[in-house]
Amino acid sequence: MSYENIKFPSGSRFLVTGGAGFIGSNIVEALLNMGHFVRVLDNLSTGKIENIEGFMSNENFEFINGDIRDIEICQNECKDIEYVLHQAAWGSVPKSIELPDLYEDINIKGTLNMMIASRDNKVKRFVYASSSSVYGDDANLPKKEGKEGNPLSPYAITKKVNELYGKVFNDLYNLETIGMRYFNVFGRRQNPNSYYSAVIPKFISLLLKDQSPTINGDGEQSRDFTYIDNVIEANLKACLAPKKACGKSYNIAYGGRVTLNQLYYTLQKLLDKDINPIYGCDRKGDIRHSNADISRAKEFLEYNPVYNFEDGIIKTIDWYKENI
Ligand SMILES: NC(=O)c1ccc[n+]([C@@H]2O[C@H](COP(=O)([O-])OP(=O)(O)OC[C@H]3O[C@@H](n4cnc5c(N)ncnc54)[C@H](O)[C@@H]3O)[C@@H](O)[C@H]2O)c1
């Protein structure tokens, strides 16, 4: 693991919102393995109880089935918490185009509630999920913090607003905030079954069932696919980074670039399948290429991701083979 040497004082207390989801449940598992207390606040809207069932018997684990749109719940669940790792949000770009008002409520108002509750309860640090989507229509590569374009979707707007609030809460209210601009995270427990699922779990699960995945567009669009264990490392390091790291957002990626066609043929080879993909239409609101400059996270958070795309994809395939 890339985070086994990260040490918190014993008895540290964490709140993970969205802890029944893909990224959240992996962070929760790492923290429990380190022996810390973890409370999860999740309304199970896109997350699944199966993701956290295995933790229920751990005396350091607490699950609150609640909604971040309810400020009273946020206030209650931030009590006696030192670190908030805020992952709860709706994540799909196409769905945000259908339902912008819902995204405003959950992603913007819900995050604002969590910042208010963290401030009022004197939480030591508030680390929150942002997204590479904040780079919007800026075509420059690699993506570098400070060079953002205009958002291309309601989802991207919500993450941009989260970052603006993050900076203001850091500067005005002394809530130490750090934004994590995740780039296409993948790994164990990512949901393959929704229409809005990310490509990697969707492609793996279809290929395992001998079905043809659909690639949107010509497949030459590229992404900085980032293995989940790198993301766990980044979150833990963000909790412990010096104060000068706060009030900023960081690219959290590996720093590589793989096209959807390359991804597809890698999966086909590793799964030993000979199935042609179907090519569909381009997706609205998507950027063409994405590749992160991670030097800021390296400098301020000492983030040093160890899993490249190939390492991560092999581990991910092994997990889906056993769990689908
Ligand atoms: N997965 C990625 O590649 C990626 C990339 C960029 C940013 N992000 C961000 O990372 C975070 C986690 O994403 P994920 O991939 O784990 O998604 P996920 O859908 O698996 O997890 C999100 C969790 O939040 C919960 N949730 C949603 N609305 C809620 C509400 N109103 N109250 C309480 N809980 C609520 C869901 O039930 C779910 O368990 C999100 O903020 C997402 O926008 C993810």
Side-chain angles (χ1 to χ4, degrees), residues 14-300:
F14 295 81
L15 170 64
V16 181
T17 70
F22 158 51
I23 295 175
S25 66
N26 278 291
I27 295 174
V28 171
E29 186 174 36
L31 290 169
L32 289 173
N33 287 342
M34 294 162 87
H36 301 302
F37 170 84
V38 187
R39 181 179 294 151
V40 162
L41 170 59
D42 197 303
N43 69 353
L44 299 177
S45 52
T46 60
K48 290 188 281 182
I49 198 78
E50 300 92 275
N51 287 341
I52 51 172
E53 246 161 16
F55 315 142
M56 295 291 187
S57 58
N58 188 323
E59 59 178 17
N60 279 330
F61 179 73
E62 201 175 279
F63 171 54
I64 310 296
N65 187 342
D67 198 308
I68 55 166
R69 285 170 289 181
D70 184 334
I71 181 71
E72 234 174 275
I73 290 179
C74 298
Q75 290 284 9
N76 282 336
E77 303 321 327
C78 283
K79 284 200 178 98
D80 305 318
I81 291 293
E82 294 171 282
Y83 304 97
V84 171
L85 295 164
H86 173 55
Q87 311 300 314
W90 275 29
S92 152
V93 166
K95 197 156 188 167
S96 79
I97 295 172
E98 288 167 32
L99 299 167
D101 49 343
L102 191 68
Y103 275 69
E104 164 98 17
D105 284 349
I106 299 171
N107 293 11
I108 297 183
K109 192 65 202 316
T111 298
L112 178 58
N113 284 344
M114 282 305 306
M115 287 189 196
I116 292 170
S118 299
R119 176 199 66 188
D120 294 354
N121 285 280
K122 307 214 170 350
V123 159
K124 268 192 196 158
R125 192 153 293 179
F126 184 88
V127 177
Y128 62 96
S130 180
S131 160
S132 58
S133 64
V134 297
Y135 288 103
D137 64 2
D138 178 69
N140 290 311
L141 289 179
K143 306 289 180 196
K144 192 157 175 54
E145 299 92 341
K147 292 197 172 146
E148 297 80 15
N150 294 308
L152 291 170
S153 66
Y155 171 72
I157 292 176
T158 69
K159 293 296 180 180
K160 192 173 177 126
V161 174
N162 289 171
E163 290 191 357
L164 294 171
Y165 272 121
K167 171 92 177 100
V168 163
F169 270 66
N170 186 81
D171 295 353
L172 287 186
Y173 303 118
N174 285 326
L175 173 68
E176 295 185 356
T177 65
I178 294 191
M180 310 259 92
R181 288 185 183 168
Y182 302 145
F183 281 66
N184 294 79
V185 187
F186 70 97
R188 57 196 176 273
R189 289 205 283 272
Q190 192 167 24
N191 181 6
N193 294 324
S194 141
Y195 170 73
Y196 300 101
S197 290
V199 284
I200 292 184
K202 206 184 238 179
F203 286 6
I204 295 176
S205 92
L206 289 169
L207 284 171
L208 284 172
K209 293 182 224 157
D210 292 319
Q211 293 171 17
S212 291
T214 299
I215 295 180
N216 295 313
D218 64 3
E220 286 306 302
Q221 60 274 47
S222 61
R223 296 289 179 264
D224 197 333
F225 291 109
T226 307
Y227 186 56
I228 183 68
D229 285 2
N230 298 329
V231 170
I232 296 173
E233 178 203 329
N235 274 276
L236 302 188
K237 286 187 170 167
C239 290
L240 296 173
K243 199 170 170 168
K244 68 172 192 269
C246 297
K248 298 183 177 63
S249 297
Y250 298 88
N251 290 346
I252 303 301
Y254 182 73
R257 189 149 78 90
V258 173
T259 68
L260 291 195
N261 287 327
Q262 285 167 336
L263 163 70
Y264 184 77
Y265 289 106
T266 304
L267 294 177
Q268 226 193 14
K269 192 166 136 222
L270 291 170
L271 290 164
D272 195 21
K273 301 283 180 186
D274 187 15
I275 299 168
N276 286 328
I278 299 163
Y279 285 90
C281 308
D282 277 322
R283 247 180 29 168
K284 258 200 261 174
D286 268 352
I287 45 176
R288 181 79 178 154
H289 298 294
S290 187
N291 167 222
D293 176 329
I294 56 170
S295 53
R296 183 192 261 193
K298 281 189 165 175
E299 181 187 341
F300 285 86

